[in-house]
Amino acid sequence: SEMCIRDSNNTNEEFFIYDYYDGIQASQIQQKPIFLLFTGINCKNNKYINELIKNDNGIMKKITIDYVPVILNVNDRTKLTKQKQIIRNGKTLVLRTKGNEWAQLEVSKFQRNIQPLIVIIDSNEQVIKQPIEGEIIREDLLEYLYD
């Protein structure tokens, strides 16, 4: 249940969860809030954040010690075992891939459709800290995490 941008020299991969529901479960078990990142493969902002959270030791430490880090890639092509139909703005949409599901989740739960988007939620899926989005630089993320 995981697929994301694989970086062969990256040893930090095992700290990340790539499924929302697995993340909620881990959060309940570990009794830690979730650091939730909606990302994609297009656009430099996403690449920058993906690299930053995996390779910047200060940020990496903070999000793996204090949070359950969950990365949801809206471009994830993994087929859903069962297609889901939803109604959005009066139109029926068919969700066929994990990426479709994560994009829909972002819209329905956080009323956003932009990546990267970072939000801290608890194990009951309640927002603890309002999202930051778009052109997030290292300083923004540090401030968000340590504020």
Side-chain angles (χ1 to χ4, degrees):
S1 73
E2 58 173 302
M3 186 189 134
C4 199
I5 299 140
R6 284 266 181 250
D7 184 349
S8 54
N9 61 10
N10 198 316
T11 52
N12 291 330
E13 204 61 55
E14 73 270 18
F15 293 112
F16 294 92
I17 295 175
Y18 295 94
D19 181 282
Y20 181 75
Y21 306 101
D22 293 348
I24 297 294
Q25 207 175 0
S27 168
Q28 288 165 350
I29 293 165
Q30 297 175 37
Q31 301 192 321
K32 291 201 282 194
I34 295 169
F35 171 93
L36 183 58
L37 166 65
F38 288 92
T39 187
I41 49 177
N42 317 333
C43 118
K44 63 181 194 325
N45 294 333
N46 285 319
K47 273 201 185 73
Y48 173 77
I49 286 294
N50 293 341
E51 290 296 307
L52 186 67
I53 67 172
K54 291 182 180 181
N55 300 323
D56 182 297
N57 285 334
I59 289 171
M60 178 69 199
K61 234 188 214 109
K62 176 75 173 165
I63 63 176
T64 52
I65 291 172
D66 291 354
Y67 302 99
V68 172
V70 177
I71 300 177
L72 301 179
N73 183 345
V74 301
N75 301 116
D76 187 336
R77 297 262 169 260
T78 309
K79 292 265 180 282
L80 292 173
T81 44
K82 192 171 175 292
Q83 289 188 1
K84 298 181 182 177
Q85 282 201 345
I86 55 136
I87 311 272
R88 184 154 101 207
N89 301 334
K91 290 194 182 76
T92 302
L93 294 182
V94 181
L95 308 180
R96 294 186 170 86
T97 65
K98 288 265 191 190
N100 293 161
E101 186 173 16
W102 305 147
Q104 167 55 25
L105 186 84
E106 185 187 2
V107 170
S108 62
K109 287 202 180 296
F110 307 106
Q111 291 73 54
R112 304 284 208 294
N113 188 12
I114 183 174
Q115 297 83 38
L117 178 128
I118 293 170
V119 61
I120 308 289
I121 63 172
D122 66 18
S123 59
N124 298 318
E125 304 181 63
Q126 298 304 306
V127 173
I128 297 176
K129 206 167 221 190
Q130 287 306 313
I132 54 172
E133 63 191 44
E135 287 193 45
I136 304 163
I137 58 168
R138 181 171 188 270
E139 286 64 35
D140 300 334
L141 187 50
L142 284 169
E143 194 178 318
Y144 185 74
L145 291 171
Y146 286 93
D147 183 25

